[in-house]
Amino acid sequence: MRTSYDIVIIGSGVGGLGAAARLVTVGYSVLVLEKMPLLGGRFASMEYKGFTLSTGAEALECGGALEEAFHLVGAPFDVRKPSPDIMYRVGEREFELPPGGGGLRRMLSFIGKPGEGDKVMLAMKRALQWEEPSKGLSLRDWVAQYTSDPDIHGFFQAFCAAIFAINSHEATAWAFIRFIKVLGGKIVHAFPSHGPSVLMDGLAKRIEEKGGEIFTKARVKRILVEEGLVRGVLVEKDGDQIEIDARAVISNAGPRGTVRLAGRESFDRSYLKLMDETLRPTPSAGVYIASDRPLMEHPGCLMPIGTRRVCWIVNPTTLCPELAPRGKHLMLSFNAFGDSLSTTNLEDEIRLNIQDLRDLFPDFDSHAKVLMAVTFHGDWPVYHSWPGEDLPQKTPIENLYNVGDGVKVPGMIGLESAAETARLVAEDLMRRLVKK
Ligand SMILES: Cc1cc2nc3c(=O)[nH]c(=O)nc-3n(C[C@H](O)[C@H](O)[C@H](O)COP(=O)(O)OP(=O)(O)OC[C@H]3O[C@@H](n4cnc5c(N)ncnc54)[C@H](O)[C@@H]3O)c2cc1C
């Protein structure tokens, strides 16, 4: 490790490595510091009882900034696309989300009473083409203006909880409409073959081959700021504290983490106010299930409607059997917390998730068992901020940027949003930072 670089990146999540890939490609000297022993942050994998389990995301989106980052450095993008991608279940009935545009309209025509979906779609068309709803209205209250059909409300709740990881009474209608505008009909999901770590380690390897340096077990203790300008970081590695100079620092530690590292006193008051008042993580509970036969037939994701909690079930091993021991299958079941803001009873969230699984899969107890049940919140949430309530990528400290899912672009979520922030920050740096 040298003591001076053009750019230091704190954290190796999709945002951190995505930015590194773009910046080494154009010739900047780049150092990535990751405090954990593995790369990828909430898109990495661990071995557990012969299963490969993700530290967060299971499914990625193809064709956007994430995939582009891999191609830029020539890293393998080995993924498998399920077909059908997403299925919905209402009671005993299952529907496929029709691919491409118009899928939502067709879904609502299957789900609600005749004519009810059309009322919502008409309002949505207006919101998409004319004026977006204000940020003051929840998605649930916005839908309630047009229908009281319980299945349609159930659909919006499940959809919202699955994509935003918060409930329809919590998300704003504005954020939802933005999502439909930006990504509606465009998402193509895929599973990383062999799990997320193989994909992210492959990206890191190509970054290093192109001259970037990446260290794990290297915790940044402090972002160094002088007269409103970032000047480097203090990192702890192998028991030593090393000061590293940098012309720019990109933090993937989440906006709150960045403020902790640089010290509140270094930030403008309006930025701190915005962060304190709007930045809220989205919590979730996840149940990892091992079974001796697949519990669902189709190879992608299932969005069950009208459950107590469960909103997103992922079935990766039909397409990627290597993620489970021979003869075994893996399924994951996620839920948004009943109340995303309060200190919820974490055990209850898991209990309700498992109760839903028993209802959804009548043979659950005879063929499946819970491998692991986890709650994601605090510093390890689904997203660092509620969709639509993000901070900007630039901070008030010159040349200090954030990347990741606390500074999402409106309308984007998850891995793809983190990769997009990396693209935006890298492009800004390329405009501003002359190469030495
Ligand atoms: C249960 C769950 C399921 C999800 N499912 C999906 C999904 O299916 N599809 C999808 O698109 N998204 C999904 N997501 C969201 C997705 O995982 C995240 O949006 C994305 O991974 C966030 O990436 P990031 O760039 O913000 O970085 P992160 O993944 O947060 O990585 C940041 C890294 O910075 C490191 N770091 C922090 N502080 C320091 C420090 N001081 N020094 C050094 N290193 C530091 C951390 O250790 C970490 O490795 C899911 C998330 C969870 C939790």
Side-chain angles (χ1 to χ4, degrees), residues 11 13 15 33-36 41-42 56-57 59 220 252 376 381-382 404-405 415:
L33 299 166
E34 168 56 58
K35 68 180 177 186
M36 303 215 312
R42 285 169 285 155
V220 171
N252 195 197
F376 302 90
V382 178
D405 63 9
L415 298 169

Side-chain angles (χ1 to χ4, degrees), residues 9-16 33-36 38-43 54-61 189 218-221 252-254 257 261 284-286 288 312 314 334 376 379-384 403-406 408 413-419 421:
I9 301 178
I10 307 168
S12 68
V14 161
L33 299 166
E34 168 56 58
K35 68 180 177 186
M36 303 215 312
L38 75 174
L39 300 170
R42 285 169 285 155
F43 191 49
S54 172
T55 54
E58 287 289 334
L60 52 85
E61 285 160 26
H189 283 113
R219 178 186 288 270
V220 171
K221 305 283 284 181
N252 195 197
L261 289 171
S284 172
Y288 298 69
W312 188 240
V314 187
F334 295 103
F376 302 90
D379 281 345
W380 205 265
V382 178
Y383 311 133
H384 276 302
V403 288
D405 63 9
K408 299 184 287 300
I413 52 165
L415 298 169
E416 195 50 40
S417 71
T421 63

